[in-house]
């Protein structure tokens, strides 16, 4: 696979070998997409390997579980500790952590209540998500012909496995048409987000990002960037963004745990600004990455050292 996998996966309180972390084909999740999960990064930092915004990710995991009436038998603190333990046991440095909670093997119909909840935490080493030079050169993207789900269909605030069928449609279409990523509109036609990233655009020095009501996942990188831009003194507007705004923006970028802060250099073959990473985007990237060398002061729970 070309990536280093953690040797052990945490399952319901114990570590099991990667090869043995298997489930039955008749598990509810396989048929009905009934999982909630997280994607978390461990960075090499001035404190040694440290998990970025771990309690916030686990809070979002519990929020997702609550929305889907999944009653975990663990506390958020248990799962935080289990994530740390799993990275430690696997002797990984910078890596990616994937906690997942799903409806397992029991009954076979849609009603999920008779299926046990299973909780797993996997880790692996993972590099740049949108390509190695994406952070510097930016990516070419398109508008997706697929929209994000309407608010009264699937809850966008929950990071649920089933939501990623929508993301897969967006991503496959983009890739097959030669783009790195697609931008989906919400059901009203406003900009929502990428298949796995939130979006920001900049025009005349003002920074815009869509609100939670635009059918977006409440991204933690989005949240970090909001803090950074406020701190840098930029005007930030969280509002519905018309599709064409990005075509006439000076700069645009994606945010996400995997994508970090990735500049968008073109949309549907129209250059964003001058088609290069913009000055403000570069500044925000610098501030973001300076969290991990201690230059930028952040709340203590934004970095959980692996010790
Ligand atoms: N939107 C979607 C659909 C995502 O899958 C992700 C990645 N989790 C994001 C936005 C960005 O969220 P975060 O910054 O918390 O990774």
């Amino acid at each position: 696979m070309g990536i280093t996998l953690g040797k052990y996966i945490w399952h319901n309180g114990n570590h099991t070998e990667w090869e043995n972390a298997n489930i039955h084909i008749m598990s509810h999740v396989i048929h009905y997409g009934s999982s909630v999960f997280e994607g978390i990064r461990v960075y090499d930092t001035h404190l040694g390997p440290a998990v970025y915004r771990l309690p916030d990710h686990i809070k979002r995991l519990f929020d997702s579980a609550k929305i889907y009436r999944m009653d975990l038998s663990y506390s958020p603190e248990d799962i935080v500790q289990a994530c740390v333990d799993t990275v430690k046991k696997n002797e990984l440095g910078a890596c990616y952590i994937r906690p997942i909670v799903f409806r397992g093997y029991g009954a076979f119909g849609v009603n999920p209540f008779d299926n046990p909840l299973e909780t797993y935490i996997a880790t692996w080493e993972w590099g740049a998500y949108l390509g190695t030079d994406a952070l510097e050169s930016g990516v070419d993207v398109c508008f997706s012909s697929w929209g994000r789900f309407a608010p009264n269909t699937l809850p966008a605030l929950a990071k649920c496995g089933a939501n990623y069928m929508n993301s897969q449609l967006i991503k496959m279409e983009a890739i097959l048409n030669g783009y790195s990523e697609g931008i989906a509109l919400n059901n009203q036609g406003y900009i929502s987000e990428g298949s796995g990233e939130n979006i920001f655009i900049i025009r005349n020095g003002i920074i815009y990002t869509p609100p939670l009501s635009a059918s977006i996942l409440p991204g933690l990188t989005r949240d970090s960037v909001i803090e950074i831009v406020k701190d840098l003194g930029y005007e930030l507007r969280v509002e519905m963004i018309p599709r064409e705004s990005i075509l006439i923006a000076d700069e645009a970028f994606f945010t996400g745990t995997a994508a970090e802060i990735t500049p968008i250099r073109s949309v549907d073959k129209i250059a964003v600004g001058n088609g290069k990473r913009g000055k403000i985007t570069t500044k925000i990237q610098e501030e973001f990455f300076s969290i991990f060398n201690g230059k930028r002061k952040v709340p203590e729970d934004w970095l959980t050292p692996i010790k």
Side-chain angles (χ1 to χ4, degrees), residues 39 57 60 148 159 164 167 193-198 217-222 255-258:
H57 277 284
R60 190 171 67 187
R148 292 286 287 170
K159 192 169 168 66
Y164 288 82
S167 290
E193 61 180 349
S195 71
E197 307 87 9
N198 294 116
L217 184 79
L220 288 163
T221 321
R222 171 183 181 273
T255 64
T257 297

Side-chain angles (χ1 to χ4, degrees), residues 7 57 76 82 90 97 106 116 124 138-139 146 159-162 171-172 215 223 230 247 266 285 290 297:
K7 195 157 178 250
H57 277 284
N90 283 305
I97 312 177
W124 65 92
V139 288
W146 294 101
K159 192 169 168 66
C160 169
K171 190 77 176 177
M172 289 189 292
S215 296
D223 186 70
K230 280 190 195 154
L247 305 177
S266 73
Q285 278 183 331
S290 73
K297 295 281 162 269

